Amino acid sequence: QVQLVESGGGVVQAGGSLRLSCAASGDFFRIGDMGWYRRTPGSEDRDLVAEAKINGKTEYADSVKGRFTISREIGQNTIYLEMTNLQVEDTATYYCNAEVHSTDKWYPMTDAWGQGTQVTVSS
């Protein structure tokens, strides 16, 4: 049983900034890679925004490079997303994702998702 709780969404004017947070809690052996995904209005797809891998590497979608920064607290199952110079195209529901290990084995592994936090950027 794993719970992911996002916070920090809101309404901001284009060019503004927001900081999202996601904390994992519950019963698990290990949390692996964590990341942020987003779903734009009217879409069924969740697209990768940024990922913070357990090995310390980070990845970003091309559309947010140079504007968004993902960070992961060392020793904690918490990630953040610093978003700057927000654009109307960034309007979406942002979801936290985590790979979950229930034992000391790397596999099997499952994905956990938060319920999402809304980010609205106005022009």
Side-chain angles (χ1 to χ4, degrees), residues 3-112:
Q3 292 179 322
L4 301 179
V5 180
E6 306 102 332
S7 63
V11 180
V12 64
Q13 293 182 345
S17 302
L18 287 173
R19 183 175 187 261
L20 306 183
S21 301
C22 172
S25 63
D27 186 15
F28 53 84
F29 183 83
R30 179 195 303 113
I31 296 293
D33 299 346
M34 300 184 72
W36 292 97
Y37 291 71
R38 65 186 180 186
R39 176 181 289 151
T40 57
S43 176
E44 296 182 351
D45 300 324
R46 289 178 293 195
D47 299 319
L48 174 68
V49 177
E51 186 176 50
K53 296 182 178 296
I54 192 172
N55 63 11
K57 294 183 178 179
T58 59
E59 296 181 1
Y60 296 90
D62 289 340
S63 60
V64 306
K65 287 181 178 178
R67 299 189 298 119
F68 292 8
T69 302
I70 189 171
S71 60
R72 183 170 183 171
E73 295 289 339
I74 299 177
Q76 300 183 24
N77 298 307
T78 303
I79 59 171
Y80 305 91
L81 186 67
E82 296 281 354
M83 304 183 293
T84 63
N85 193 23
L86 284 161
Q87 304 297 309
V88 174
E89 293 77 15
D90 296 317
T91 295
T93 302
Y94 285 72
Y95 296 89
C96 180
N97 170 263
E99 295 180 339
V100 181
H101 306 93
S102 58
T103 72
D104 62 345
K105 301 293 191 298
W106 289 106
Y107 296 95
M109 177 178 63
T110 60
D111 277 353

